Amino acid sequence: ERVGRFLSLTLDAAVEGKPVTFANEWLFNAYKACPLADADVRRRVDDALAYSCIEHLRTRTPYTLSGGEKKRVAIASILTMNPAVWTFDEPEAALDADGLAWLSAFFTDLRGAGKTLVFATHDRAFAGRFADATLMFDATHHATYSAITSEMI
């Protein structure tokens, strides 16, 4: 019922010519994924916006965001669902120094919260800062090396 109400509101906004913002998409996804009260879902979205330092983007549509903003929005959208396991494909790619600093702090916080992080990256130094173990693959996608990260670096 909650999803239906929110979906109706979202579609009404689109029909009226108002853009559907990423914050509204988050609300919709969080309503679907989390069996929480409306106020709790809205709090999660507000918290993710604040934590990710993207509150100022709340009313923007996805196609108006820069590459780094899109990446931060994507990560923050998953934060609203608070998963135990996070997977990232080249998370450090195409980020400026500020974006990399935020991402590093975010990964440190996730690890501190006991979350499992899985990275696909070509950057061994990046992996070494956050990974407890490393699995490397050759050009034919066969595992060639596995080690506790501290032994590799």
Side-chain angles (χ1 to χ4, degrees):
E1 180 180 289
R2 286 183 313 139
V3 173
R5 277 196 330 258
F6 189 77
L7 179 58
S8 175
L9 292 173
T10 302
L11 292 176
D12 288 347
V15 169
E16 293 173 10
K18 297 175 185 173
V20 177
T21 66
F22 73 83
N24 286 345
E25 286 290 317
W26 288 6
L27 283 170
F28 177 69
N29 290 330
Y31 277 120
K32 287 192 321 188
C34 304
L36 301 172
D38 291 1
D40 292 330
V41 171
R42 290 185 183 281
R43 182 186 43 75
R44 280 191 182 197
V45 170
D46 290 343
D47 289 350
L49 288 165
Y51 178 84
S52 304
C53 304
I54 56 173
E55 291 170 302
H56 64 288
L57 302 176
R58 176 183 214 113
T59 59
R60 301 258 305 271
T61 55
Y63 61 84
T64 65
L65 303 176
S66 71
E69 289 170 336
K70 287 177 184 175
K71 189 171 283 195
R72 198 175 290 202
V73 164
I75 290 171
S77 71
I78 303 303
L79 184 60
T80 64
M81 293 178 247
N82 193 26
V85 178
W86 290 70
T87 58
F88 299 92
D89 183 12
E90 301 284 350
E92 73 287 2
L95 291 180
D96 61 13
D98 290 341
L100 284 172
W102 178 84
L103 190 66
S104 293
F106 177 67
F107 289 156
T108 299
D109 289 350
L110 285 178
R111 288 191 68 195
K115 304 296 182 178
T116 299
L117 307 178
V118 179
F119 300 104
T121 183
H122 292 91
D123 187 341
R124 285 187 192 180
F126 178 84
R129 289 197 312 268
F130 304 106
D132 295 320
T134 303
L135 182 63
M136 294 173 24
F137 295 90
D138 64 17
T140 62
H141 305 284
H142 291 95
T144 59
Y145 186 79
S146 178
I148 302 301
T149 302
S150 61
E151 295 172 5
M152 182 184 85
I153 298 184

